[in-house]
Amino acid sequence: MAHDPYQILAHPFSLEGYAVIITGAGGAIGGATAHVLAQAGANVVVSDLNLENAEKVAAAVQKATGRETLAVRTDVTSETEQQALVDATLKKFGKITALINNVGWGEYTPLWDVSMDYMMKSYLLNTVSAYNLSKLCMPHLKKQENASITISGSAVGSTPSPEFISYSNAKAALLHMSKSIAMLSGPEVRCNAIVIGSVDNGEATLKAGYDEAMLKRLADAFVLKRRGTPFDIAYAFNYLLSPAAAWVTGIHLHVDGGGSYKSKMPTAD
Ligand SMILES: NC(=O)c1ccc[n+]([C@@H]2O[C@H](COP(=O)([O-])OP(=O)(O)OC[C@H]3O[C@@H](n4cnc5c(N)ncnc54)[C@H](O)[C@@H]3O)[C@@H](O)[C@H]2O)c1
């Protein structure tokens, strides 16, 4: 039954009774999110291209929280595998309360140095996959109270980023799409995005073209003087899925240590 928005909720961030699909949940942010959402009461579907990592996360989450989990190997660029993910979720939990489109990847791709084929692959992985999985989940989400889709956006998708042209274009499109989904999916389903700043995900950022000295300079430029942890992002997902955010749709929530704020006055150094 829908909660009365004039009554204070006893547990505003509780996800009790939710069944949540998280893509890319074998990785840093998705894995931490699976833990945090399960701790808040959700049953979680841990989906990843890498089944071994998905199974590890699912087992650890179940052990730590006592919640039900399901590990599914999914390549989100395949429509057939996306459908299999939806079917497996419905078979195990009988519903989908929330979808977190979290898969994403991008590396150093300077402007004018990228093939058409690579641009298309990046768009398929980062944007089209989220479009299609959202489409497949929508009829099931519409049946649930406070249902939502949440997207892992990126700071490079909200500012010009010519060093990451394929990834930043794809993430910009993804952020734009989240608002379009929000417009037509209400009032039943909310859709929001988190604009994620630089988060420590181990090797993955180094593979994307950064080195430790660059990451130190990046952290020093943030207002809060450190890169994020996967949990910094996971808590934001918890909020956006929860009853506390029942009146929140179509937003881009920046979680970036103040990385998007730079002084307008140039300094000597
Ligand atoms: N870490 C950061 O600094 C940062 C910053 C901004 C945005 N993001 C975004 O946050 C999300 C999660 O990033 P992360 O740091 O946890 O990365 P990560 O590399 O740790 O995890 C990504 C996961 O996605 C999986 N994956 C890759 N291709 C896939 C496919 N085709 N199908 C299914 N799964 C696939 C990988 O196996 C991996 O487990 C991504 O969308 C990323 O673009 C991350």
Side-chain angles (χ1 to χ4, degrees):
M1 204 177 68
H3 81 259
D4 176 353
Y6 289 93
Q7 292 296 317
I8 189 165
L9 286 160
H11 303 287
F13 304 105
S14 168
L15 304 182
E16 199 73 47
Y18 283 41
V20 184
I21 296 176
I22 310 171
T23 68
I29 292 170
T33 302
H35 275 276
V36 166
L37 301 192
Q39 190 175 272
N43 293 327
V44 288
V45 180
V46 179
S47 157
D48 203 284
L49 184 60
N50 183 324
L51 181 61
E52 197 184 329
N53 284 351
E55 283 176 341
K56 268 190 212 152
V57 170
V61 168
Q62 196 155 341
K63 188 163 177 226
T65 65
R67 296 293 157 182
E68 289 291 312
T69 61
L70 175 68
V72 182
R73 191 240 177 232
T74 315
D75 179 348
V76 293
T77 64
S78 155
E79 184 160 18
T80 315
E81 294 194 23
Q82 287 190 351
Q83 186 61 61
L85 170 62
V86 170
D87 293 346
T89 304
L90 293 172
K91 188 168 176 217
K92 170 92 177 173
F93 295 121
K95 63 180 166 183
I96 305 170
T97 321
L99 165 66
I100 298 185
N101 283 307
N102 169 65
V103 166
W105 164 251
E107 61 191 331
Y108 178 63
T109 49
L111 186 65
W112 311 139
D113 203 17
V114 189
S115 69
M116 211 157 114
D117 185 46
Y118 194 94
M119 289 294 278
M120 295 300 283
K121 278 191 178 137
S122 182
Y123 189 54
L124 175 63
L125 178 72
N126 288 294
T127 316
V128 179
S129 68
Y131 163 75
N132 203 64
L133 188 55
S134 301
K135 187 170 85 173
L136 294 179
C137 288
M138 189 55 70
H140 307 289
L141 289 166
K142 287 208 164 184
K143 294 179 193 156
Q144 301 305 318
E145 190 191 336
N146 197 31
S148 65
I149 295 172
T150 315
I151 279 166
S152 281
S154 170
V156 301
S158 65
T159 52
S161 304
E163 303 86 356
F164 293 89
I165 195 65
S166 57
Y167 176 65
S168 64
N169 273 11
K171 285 289 192 185
L174 184 65
L175 287 173
H176 195 267
M177 186 181 77
S178 71
K179 293 197 173 186
S180 296
I181 293 176
M183 271 183 74
L184 287 195
S185 307
E188 299 93 344
V189 181
R190 302 179 294 106
C191 182
N192 297 293
I194 303 180
V195 180
I196 302 172
S198 182
V199 167
D200 185 357
N201 59 6
E203 289 291 303
T205 303
L206 299 174
K207 283 191 194 142
Y210 289 90
D211 61 36
E212 295 293 354
M214 289 159 84
L215 292 174
K216 165 93 174 62
R217 283 202 300 279
L218 198 61
D220 286 347
F222 297 163
V223 175
L224 298 181
K225 299 293 174 206
R226 66 170 174 87
R227 296 175 69 215
T229 71
F231 289 115
D232 287 322
I233 309 304
Y235 299 132
F237 278 117
N238 188 162
Y239 163 67
L240 286 172
L241 265 61
S242 74
W247 204 50
V248 177
T249 196
I251 69 156
H252 291 170
L253 178 62
H254 288 249
V255 183
D256 62 3
S260 45
Y261 291 92
K262 299 255 162 56
S263 171
K264 299 290 180 290
M265 288 294 281
T267 55
D269 45 311

